[in-house]
Structure formats: structure tokens, C-alpha cells
């Protein structure tokens, strides 16, 4: 089945620095890659997504890049703020039907 | 347009009892997904349903667990004869389209505690 690997599992940065989270996937048919942010005790919230016909997408301080050949995609957060602290999950569609998630990255932004 | 609704938000059951979790998708969404999340862990896919059909249940344990999404009413995840290891947060997500076209929107989750 689809295997989505996510690294690192924890990431601590200083406020204002950048944070990068990387994911790889195994299903070459995957063509939709969302990223979710989950704060403690809350639901996962979609923050950005990318489709396979696009190599990069940006929304203010958040950007996602996709390399279909290498089957990896990354989340970039610039000018991090304490409110960016959360667990971030990448995901990739699988078998044209549903989605598989990475194990998550706990991001801590220190003021 | 209300978001994805789940109830109850918290559910306590004793070992051997049944747990019934409900998910009402967003209006206009006919695709529902159930995930399980253990503390400090990721989202594990359980089952994907469309109205009246189970599309993929490969992530759901073969015994004690079942899911349905009837023509009318919410999707139900049912766990029979619960055990302590079933304690987790169960999230459902809905999508207007399935598969590669479908952004999934999550409900608030049901936190199941088995005593």
C-alpha cells in the first residue's frame, strides 16, 4: 500500500527562522498532496495543498514544493511565529481513492 | 454551511460494551473517511465510504469494527466489545469528491476512553 514517510518527527526553531518538513511517498499515481496543521486537542486543518501538475505553491509565509520524479514534497514556513507551533501532517492520495498520512512533525517555535 | 460534525465529542465505555460514533459530513459531501489517532501519533486510515457503499476498508480491523453511511443520516463507526486498546481519538473527514480530486475536511473528533 501507500507509504508516506515524514521527517523530522520533531523540529524546534527560533521565532523568525524558517522551518522545513519533508515527505516522501510510494504510489506513483498519487497526484494530490495536502498539508494539515493540528493544534493540541483540535481537528486537523488544511493549510495548503498541491497537485502534481504544479511544482510549487505559495500562500503568504507557507510554501509547498513537489518533485514527482523523486516522489517527495516539502512544506516551508518562513518567518515562523509562536502560533505556528503545532503538529503538521503531510498526506498523499492513494489508489485513486483515499489518502495516507505521514506520522507528523511536532514544530515548536521558541519566542 | 456547517462543517463536519461528529458526536459524541467524548465517549466513555467499559470493556465489552459497544461504541457508536457518528459523523455528519459537510452539506453536499458524499465521501466520508474515518481515521484513528492514538496520543502523540499520526492519523491512521480506517475506512472510506460513499453513500451506501464501502469503497475501501483496508485500514479497519476485521473483527469488532464496522462502518456504514446510509442513504439518509450520518455515517456510523461501530466498535463492538471494546477493549482498552480501542481508546483513541476517532476523526472523520468528508469530501465533495473522492480520490485525487477530493480535499478532505475534518470533524472535531470523538475521544473514546475504554475503562
Amino acid at each position: 500500500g501507500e507509504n508516506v514517510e515524514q521527517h523530522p518527527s520533531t523540529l524546534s526553531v527560533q521565532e523568525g527562522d524558517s522551518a522545513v518538513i519533508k515527505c516522501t511517498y510510494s504510489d506513483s499515481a498519487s497526484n494530490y498532496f495536502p498539508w494539515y496543521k493540528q493544534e493540541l486537542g483540535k481537528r486537523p486543518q488544511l493549510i495548503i495543498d498541491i497537485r502534481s501538475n504544479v511544482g510549487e505553491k505559495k500562500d503568504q509565509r507557507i510554501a509547498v514544493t513537489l518533485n514527482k520524479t523523486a516522489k517527495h514534497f516539502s512544506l516551508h514556513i518562513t518567518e515562523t511565529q509562536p502560533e505556528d507551533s503545532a503538529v503538521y501532517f503531510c498526506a498523499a492520495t492513494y489508489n485513486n481513492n483515499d489518502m495516507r498520512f505521514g506520522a507528523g512533525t511536532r514544530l515548536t517555535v521558541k519566542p | 454551511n456547517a462543517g463536519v460534525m461528529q458526536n459524541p465529542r467524548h465517549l466513555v465505555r467499559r470493556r465489552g460494551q459497544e461504541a457508536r460514533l457518528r459523523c455528519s459530513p459537510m452539506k453536499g459531501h458524499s465521501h466520508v473517511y474515518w481515521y484513528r489517532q492514538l496520543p502523540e501519533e499520526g492519523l491512521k486510515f480506517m475506512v472510506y465510504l460513499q453513500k451506501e457503499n464501502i469503497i475501501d476498508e483496508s485500514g479497519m480491523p476485521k473483527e469488532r469494527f464496522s462502518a456504514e453511511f446510509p442513504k439518509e443520516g450520518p455515517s456510523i463507526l461501530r466498535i463492538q466489545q471494546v477493549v482498552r486498546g480501542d481508546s483513541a481519538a476517532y476523526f472523520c473527514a468528508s469530501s465533495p469528491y473522492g480520490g485525487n480530486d477530493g480535499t478532505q475536511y475534518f470533524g472535531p473528533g470523538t475521544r473514546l476512553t475504554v475503562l
Side-chain angles (χ1 to χ4, degrees):
Chain A
E2 171 73 293
N3 195 29
V4 179
E5 300 280 343
Q6 183 171 346
H7 300 279
S9 56
T10 59
L11 179 59
S12 182
V13 300
Q14 209 64 42
E15 183 178 359
D17 287 351
S18 295
V20 180
I21 303 170
K22 298 181 180 181
C23 288
T24 60
Y25 61 97
S26 59
D27 184 359
S28 55
S30 297
N31 65 6
Y32 175 62
F33 308 90
W35 285 88
Y36 288 84
K37 175 184 180 183
Q38 187 178 30
E39 295 174 354
L40 188 63
K42 300 204 173 165
R43 76 184 78 190
Q45 298 263 22
L46 179 74
I47 54 170
I48 195 167
D49 55 14
I50 191 168
R51 297 187 184 276
S52 60
N53 56 347
V54 174
E56 183 174 356
K57 183 175 176 182
K58 193 172 180 181
D59 182 3
Q60 299 183 345
R61 296 186 296 108
I62 295 173
V64 58
T65 58
L66 171 65
N67 182 329
K68 275 218 85 174
T69 305
K71 292 191 199 145
H72 64 71
F73 56 113
S74 300
L75 178 72
H76 304 251
I77 307 174
T78 57
E79 299 170 31
T80 53
Q81 300 166 4
E83 50 266 39
D84 294 330
S85 296
V87 179
Y88 291 81
F89 293 98
C90 63
T93 49
Y94 166 65
N95 202 25
N96 287 322
N97 267 335
D98 41 54
M99 210 120 69
R100 296 294 185 269
F101 284 76
T105 296
R106 181 174 299 281
L107 173 65
T108 303
V109 180
K110 294 182 280 189
Chain B
N1 186 7
V4 180
M5 309 290 285
Q6 284 187 252
N7 69 81
R9 295 290 305 277
H10 300 273
L11 182 61
V12 179
R13 285 287 178 265
R14 296 193 181 280
R15 278 180 298 169
Q17 291 184 318
E18 178 181 288
R20 197 173 285 233
L21 288 60
R22 293 174 193 79
C23 170
S24 297
M26 287 176 72
K27 189 176 180 182
H29 289 195
S30 59
H31 301 257
V32 166
Y33 307 79
W34 285 94
Y35 296 88
R36 177 160 69 177
Q37 188 175 39
L38 294 170
E40 304 294 317
E41 292 192 11
L43 295 151
K44 185 172 183 297
F45 167 78
M46 297 182 73
V47 61
Y48 162 38
L49 310 104
Q50 281 182 267
K51 280 287 185 182
E52 301 185 271
N53 290 305
I54 296 175
I55 307 301
D56 182 353
E57 56 183 348
S58 58
M60 201 155 67
K62 298 264 186 285
E63 295 179 358
R64 303 189 299 107
F65 285 73
S66 62
E68 61 177 12
F69 188 15
K71 189 176 178 182
E72 301 290 337
S75 175
I76 308 261
L77 179 67
R78 186 175 171 220
I79 311 173
Q80 294 178 289
Q81 299 173 333
V82 295
V83 301
R84 288 223 172 99
D86 296 333
S87 295
Y90 291 83
F91 288 94
C92 82
S94 75
S95 173
Y97 314 106
N100 285 320
D101 292 327
T103 299
Q104 295 185 20
Y105 299 91
F106 281 81
T110 293
R111 277 150 188 84
L112 172 66
T113 302
V114 180
L115 302 176

